[in-house]
């Protein structure tokens, strides 16, 4: 995204009161997410980036939820359209919030998530001293859009698809729904709106004809790609795909190796340092931060995770609300659940699950383990098949492994439990009592070997099987 000069003062009104019937959703349309942000947050961000002094978001359906999803900023406020009587009525509802404001009012729709600040800047610049400017686009398929009516070069009005004659439907110049109006003109024009149309609504688009007779409406043509409206979930997915590529390209230009721009899914707020490598089919969600030089290999899914410099996440690792320390190694197929903290140079290998556990510097759990509700010091080795038995069916308990402890394979640590500094737990031990510093804990049945018994045992078992077969 390029920033635009903030010299031109303007206010923005963003319409977001509609239900979005065509989404067929219990959720208001503008709350459906694009790259981890609710749709309405995108035009709000574009307006702020373009330099809007104030942004008034018109709410209606799901107003509490939509309001909660808006960025907290002293430049953003809301207005209420209790009953949805059309886009013109929605802007009327924003006027009290703009009382006394003189200058340019930009009007945007909340269902246009790909809009960039540049388009708003061009629109504001184009108005000059005319009452109104608007963007227009050429559309291969103009179905559903309002059509731009011209006489010669001059724009004289907009006709909604449902109100068009056969001849007007053939017009391929459409209204993407962005306007910049002089405040006084806007108040007058909204006051004169009538609902004598196919939908019985107050159409905002009728202010264009009003502007044409009050000094002229200046049209600026713009590419439709970034102005496409989202009305159903197919369009939502298409817009999300455009946004995904845009975000991946931005990171690539900033020095991140993105192996395939079309096969990564990176949320809007994610940050990635230079020389980090993001392999195909990686999903980075929410508040995730990947530091310089880290490597996130194929198929990893990270949600609200911090990855430090030089860490390597091998394929198909899944982590949420966790921290991965510098030069740590994870996976393949590791699972870090919320509250996992991996220290510098620590390792978590395949099929290891970790939850609310801290792993100290250089400590390793390389194969098949469950580490839950634990504190593991530095230089600890946790063998294959180790389980922190943290849950007694009622409460969760802590496992503490002090620095330099060694936990042999297939051990169960029954929490609450502490294994002391440098202590050694022999393979296959069920640890039920604390192990003092430097102690060896062994808890397993003594082995006995019976010479020659294996072949005798087989003969006996085979005879039993044969007897059964004979009946
Ligand atoms: C509108 C335009 C059409 C344009 C198209 C571009 C009008 C009359 N028509 O049609 O010319 O080509 O957008 O995408 O403006 N909203 C409210 N309150 C209402 C009605 C709508 O806040 O009473 C909001 C909706 O939440 C939505 C936006 O306004 O964010 C656009 O409404 P929508 O019903 O999608 O308009 P379109 O039929 O697409
Ligand atoms: Ca629309």
């Amino acid at each position: 995204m390029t920033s635009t000069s903030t010299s031109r003062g303007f206010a923005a009104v963003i319409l977001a009161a509609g239900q979005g019937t065509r989404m067929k959703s219990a959720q208001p349309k503008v709350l459906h997410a694009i790259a981890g942000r609710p749709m309405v947050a995108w035009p709000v961000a574009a307006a702020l980036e373009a330099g809007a002094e104030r942004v008034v978001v018109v709410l209606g359906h799901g107003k509490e939820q939509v309001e909660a999803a808006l960025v907290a900023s002293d430049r953003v406020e809301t207005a209420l359209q209790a009953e949805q009587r059309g886009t013109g009525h929605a802007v009327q509802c924003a006027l009290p919030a703009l009382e006394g404001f003189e200058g340019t009012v930009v009007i945007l729709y909340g269902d246009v998530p790909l809009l960039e600040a540049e388009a708003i800047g061009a629109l504001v610049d184009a108005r000059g001293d005319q009452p109104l400017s608007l963007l227009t686009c050429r559309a291969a398929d103009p179905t559903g859009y309002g059509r731009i009516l011209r006489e010669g070069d001059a724009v004289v009005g907009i006709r909604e698809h449902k109100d068009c004659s056969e001849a007007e439907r053939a017009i391929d110049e459409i209204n993407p729904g962005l306007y910049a109006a002089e405040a006084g003109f806007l108040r007058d024009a909204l006051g004169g709106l009538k609902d004598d149309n196919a939908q019985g609504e107050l159409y905002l688009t009728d202010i264009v004809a009003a502007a044409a007779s009050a000094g002229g409406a200046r049209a600026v043509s713009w590419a439709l790609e970034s102005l496409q409206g989202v009305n159903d979930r197919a369009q939502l997915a298409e817009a999300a795909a455009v946004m995904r590529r845009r975000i991946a390209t931005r990171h690539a230009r900033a020095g991140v190796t993105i192996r395939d721009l079309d096969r990564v899914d990176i949320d809007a707020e994610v940050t990635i340092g230079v020389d980090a490598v993001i392999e195909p089919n990686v999903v980075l969600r929410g508040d995730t931060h990947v530091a310089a030089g880290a490597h996130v290999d194929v198929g990893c899914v990270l949600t609200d995770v911090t990855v430090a410099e030089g860490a390597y996440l091998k394929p198909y690792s899944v982590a949420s609300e966790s921290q991965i320390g510098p030069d740590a190694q994870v996976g393949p197929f590791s699972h870090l659940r919320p509250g996992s903290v991996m220290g510098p140079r620590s390792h978590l290998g395949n099929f290891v699950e970790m939850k609310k556990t801290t792993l100290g510097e250089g400590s390793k759990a390389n194969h098949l383990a469950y580490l839950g509700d634990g504190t593991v010091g530095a230089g600890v080795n946790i063998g294959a098949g180790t389980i922190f038995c943290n849950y007694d069916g009622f409460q969760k308990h802590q496992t503490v492994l002090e620095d330099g402890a060694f936990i042999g394979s297939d051990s169960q640590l029954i929490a609450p439990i502490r294994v002391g500094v440098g202590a050694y737990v022999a393979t296959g031990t069920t640890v039920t009592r604390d192990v003092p510093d430097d102690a060896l804990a062994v808890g397993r049945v003594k082995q006995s070997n019976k010479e020659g018994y294996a072949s005798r045992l087989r003969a006996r078992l085979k005879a039993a099987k044969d007897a059964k077969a004979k009946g």
Side-chain angles (χ1 to χ4, degrees):
M1 264 173 243
T2 42
S3 20
T4 316
S5 135
T6 56
S7 59
R8 43 176 120 72
F10 68 90
V13 173
I14 299 181
L15 306 190
Q19 154 98 64
T21 329
R22 287 166 281 179
M23 295 295 280
K24 304 200 165 90
S25 174
Q27 207 184 22
K29 170 163 78 176
V30 295
L31 286 184
H32 284 261
I34 304 258
R37 267 187 189 168
M39 199 181 331
V40 66
W42 288 99
V44 171
L48 291 173
E49 192 189 337
E53 288 166 15
R54 311 169 53 186
V55 177
V56 181
V57 184
V58 181
L59 306 178
H61 277 280
K63 56 184 189 305
E64 288 88 9
Q65 293 158 274
V66 179
E67 183 156 24
L70 295 174
V71 61
S73 160
D74 54 10
R75 288 197 280 158
V76 178
E77 61 203 291
T78 61
L80 180 64
Q81 184 193 25
E83 199 192 335
Q84 281 68 59
R85 294 174 47 213
T87 49
H89 177 245
V91 182
Q92 285 175 356
C93 295
L95 287 181
L98 293 174
E99 204 177 322
F101 179 85
E102 298 304 328
T104 301
V105 180
V106 167
I107 303 165
L108 313 169
Y109 296 159
D111 62 355
V112 186
L114 298 171
L115 166 70
E116 285 163 309
E118 279 171 284
I120 300 174
L123 181 67
V124 172
D125 289 344
R127 188 178 74 79
D129 53 11
Q130 313 238 8
L132 183 84
S133 59
L134 71 158
L135 296 185
T136 76
C137 303
R138 296 279 167 193
D141 176 12
T143 310
Y145 286 105
R147 306 301 204 281
I148 306 296
L149 307 179
R150 288 185 183 255
E151 277 171 14
D153 278 348
V155 171
V156 295
I158 294 179
R159 187 93 70 225
E160 286 307 293
H161 181 87
K162 286 182 180 156
D163 299 295
C164 280
S165 66
E166 205 58 36
E168 287 164 342
R169 286 201 177 163
I171 298 172
D172 71 346
E173 189 184 14
I174 61 97
N175 168 35
L178 286 86
Y179 324 83
E182 192 275 314
F185 159 76
L186 181 65
R187 287 185 189 101
D188 292 347
L190 289 173
L193 292 180
K194 297 201 174 62
D195 63 1
D196 53 352
N197 51 57
Q199 303 185 79
E201 292 184 350
L202 295 178
Y203 286 168
L204 176 61
T205 42
D206 288 347
I207 67 172
V208 176
S213 32
R218 176 156 307 146
V220 182
S221 65
W222 205 263
L224 181 59
E225 197 207 43
S226 64
L227 300 177
Q228 240 141 8
V230 171
N231 295 310
D232 60 33
R233 293 197 215 205
Q235 290 170 335
L236 178 72
E238 282 162 17
V242 173
M243 189 64 81
R244 241 184 338 260
R245 189 169 228 281
R246 232 188 236 178
I247 291 172
T249 305
R250 164 163 63 83
H251 288 294
R253 296 236 159 89
V256 178
T257 298
I258 306 266
R259 209 70 79 185
D260 183 338
L261 292 175
D262 290 316
R263 283 198 295 154
V264 287
D265 193 344
I266 304 173
D267 275 358
E269 326 294 340
V270 170
T271 63
I272 312 178
V274 293
D275 286 327
V277 179
I278 309 294
E279 302 281 3
N281 298 331
V282 166
V283 180
L284 304 177
R285 292 189 185 133
D287 194 19
T288 289
H289 305 278
V290 178
H295 185 169
V296 185
D297 215 328
V298 177
C300 288
V301 180
L302 310 185
T303 308
D304 303 329
V305 171
T306 301
V307 180
E309 289 193 14
Y312 180 24
L313 278 76
K314 297 175 196 172
Y316 303 105
S317 294
V318 176
S320 26
E321 296 170 46
S322 294
Q323 293 170 41
I324 296 165
D327 300 310
Q329 291 195 21
V330 178
F333 302 102
S334 296
H335 186 192
L336 284 83
R337 291 166 51 208
S340 298
V341 179
M342 293 181 64
R345 287 174 298 287
S346 60
H347 289 189
L348 212 66
N350 40 194
F351 309 109
V352 175
E353 175 181 347
M354 190 170 172
K355 184 214 73 168
K356 279 194 190 156
T357 292
T358 302
L359 196 59
E361 179 163 358
S363 290
K364 294 175 183 168
N366 272 330
H367 332 265
L368 304 158
Y370 174 62
L371 318 180
D373 300 299
T375 306
V376 177
V380 173
N381 197 301
I382 298 174
T386 297
I387 308 287
F388 289 10
C389 306
N390 61 327
Y391 187 47
D392 59 14
F394 296 90
Q395 291 187 72
K396 303 284 169 69
H397 301 283
Q398 293 290 315
T399 296
V400 178
L401 308 183
E402 302 288 2
D403 293 352
F406 181 95
I407 311 298
S409 298
D410 193 29
S411 294
Q412 302 88 50
L413 301 155
I414 304 195
I417 200 87
R418 174 184 174 275
V419 177
V421 177
Y424 194 108
V425 172
T427 291
T429 296
T430 300
V431 184
T432 55
R433 284 184 296 141
D434 286 355
V435 183
D437 292 356
D438 198 35
L440 167 67
V442 199
R444 57 193 182 209
V445 181
K446 272 239 154 36
Q447 178 178 333
S448 67
N449 290 337
K450 303 189 178 185
E451 298 288 340
Y453 258 56
S455 49
R456 284 157 63 186
L457 178 65
R458 284 192 197 97
R460 206 172 71 218
L461 295 173
K462 182 172 185 302
K465 185 181 174 188
D466 292 347
K468 196 171 178 192
K470 275 190 200 136

